Amino acid sequence: MAYKIMIDAGHGGRDPGAVYNGRQEKDDVLELALAVGQILEDAGLDVEYTRTTDIYESPSEKAREANNAGADFFVSIHRNSFPRPNEVSGVETLVYDAGGIKNQMAENVNRQLENIGFRNLGVKERPNLTVLRRTQMPAILVEAGFINSDIDNRLFDENFQAIAHGIADGILETIGIGSSGTMEQVYTVQTGAFRNEEYAGQMLDSLLSRNYPAFISEGGGYYRVQVGSFGSLAEARSMEQRLRQDGYPTAIIG
Ligand SMILES: [Zn+2]
């Protein structure tokens, strides 16, 4: 079974995102998202999009769409902006927190884009972003250069296909496709399985309030509260220890 990736072009419709000299973030990122998706499809992945046209959807709708689709990964594509133009340039990729396979994916995407000529501003934690917080699968948000940097816009326009390939390659190398062709194991730590959605929700809120990357996985009549995901058993074990110290019952799911 192929991995399912939800590709999200940021903003859209009445929300243009960042704007600079008539250039709108929502247009740049839609074009880039479609190009990245095409490359991933060609590589054999199951690709879905939050949008393929200029429409508006709230961040929580986008997260819900990815959750309902049962996507294995969520990749949101944006362009950055700084209060004063031409002061900052470069790429950065945002994640909910620093652990797990998403962090690896974010670093790989940044490195690919650095090879094309962007400054690499690194991987940043953004626990309050809805599309990173509310998605149940590993999620990254790629800021493909600053829209109010002439240097970055030139890079973006002149190397558009290379940028799309760089993002796609960063994703593919992380999930181990292209090299071995096999899927890597992903682990989560489960803290509870409830028939009652409300009980699951209470545990989720308690975990989120302590900044755990928790989510609910629904299926078979159960609401499973889980924390993750992690690319290695060692990472899952270290999270399990933290959770136990905070008094949660745990089981590693792999
Ligand atoms: Zn944006």
Side-chain angles (χ1 to χ4, degrees):
M1 214 177 73
Y3 276 119
K4 185 183 276 189
I5 295 220
M6 182 64 77
I7 303 274
D8 170 45
H11 312 280
R14 61 182 152 87
D15 169 18
V19 176
Y20 175 62
N21 287 344
R23 185 171 185 142
Q24 302 187 91
E25 181 185 357
K26 67 172 183 175
D27 300 325
D28 278 4
V29 298
L30 177 59
E31 200 185 345
L32 185 55
L34 294 173
V36 171
Q38 187 59 56
I39 296 162
L40 294 175
E41 263 180 66
D42 292 345
L45 267 60
D46 184 357
V47 177
E48 292 195 21
Y49 302 88
T50 54
R51 69 183 179 100
T52 56
T53 57
D54 186 20
I55 55 159
Y56 177 78
E57 277 179 312
S58 71
S60 46
E61 281 172 314
K62 290 175 169 199
R64 200 177 318 123
E65 241 176 276
N67 294 343
N68 290 343
D72 298 299
F73 296 95
F74 182 89
V75 176
S76 186
I77 296 179
H78 286 252
R79 298 207 60 207
N80 225 331
S81 170
F82 194 75
R84 291 175 302 280
N86 289 309
E87 204 157 299
V88 183
S89 64
V91 296
E92 61 184 18
T93 298
L94 314 180
V95 293
Y96 177 85
D97 68 2
I101 195 168
K102 62 188 182 307
N103 198 65
Q104 222 174 297
M105 186 178 280
E107 280 175 2
N108 288 340
V109 167
N110 281 352
R111 200 192 55 253
Q112 291 278 351
L113 295 176
E114 187 180 0
N115 290 341
I116 293 164
F118 284 105
R119 283 183 61 202
N120 184 349
L121 301 175
V123 177
K124 310 272 167 69
E125 293 186 45
R126 289 286 188 281
N128 294 323
L129 279 183
T130 302
V131 293
L132 300 180
R133 186 188 179 94
R134 292 294 170 202
T135 39
Q136 297 173 346
M137 67 294 303
I140 64 171
L141 190 153
V142 182
E143 296 275 16
F146 284 74
I147 199 167
N148 60 355
S149 154
D150 293 330
I151 294 171
D152 280 357
N153 285 343
R154 200 174 315 124
L155 271 169
F156 189 92
D157 294 334
E158 289 175 3
N159 301 279
F160 181 81
Q161 277 305 323
I163 292 166
H165 274 279
I167 294 171
D169 288 348
I171 294 165
L172 291 169
E173 70 180 305
T174 310
I175 59 186
I177 290 178
S179 46
S180 65
T182 54
M183 292 190 184
E184 280 175 20
Q185 182 76 42
V186 175
Y187 301 90
T188 59
V189 184
Q190 183 164 301
T191 57
F194 304 89
R195 287 217 173 262
N196 182 317
E197 187 174 6
E198 205 184 313
Y199 295 157
Q202 284 166 5
M203 182 174 266
L204 176 71
D205 288 343
S206 136
L207 288 163
L208 290 176
S209 74
R210 292 177 176 186
N211 285 320
Y212 284 107
F215 59 92
I216 290 177
S217 166
E218 198 185 329
Y222 281 94
Y223 298 90
R224 296 179 181 79
V225 186
Q226 298 180 347
V227 176
S229 304
F230 306 100
S232 74
L233 188 55
E235 284 173 287
R237 287 226 170 97
S238 102
M239 175 56 81
E240 182 174 44
Q241 242 168 23
R242 253 180 75 193
L243 285 161
R244 284 189 180 168
Q245 277 162 9
D246 275 345
Y248 295 98
T250 61
I252 290 180
I253 311 289

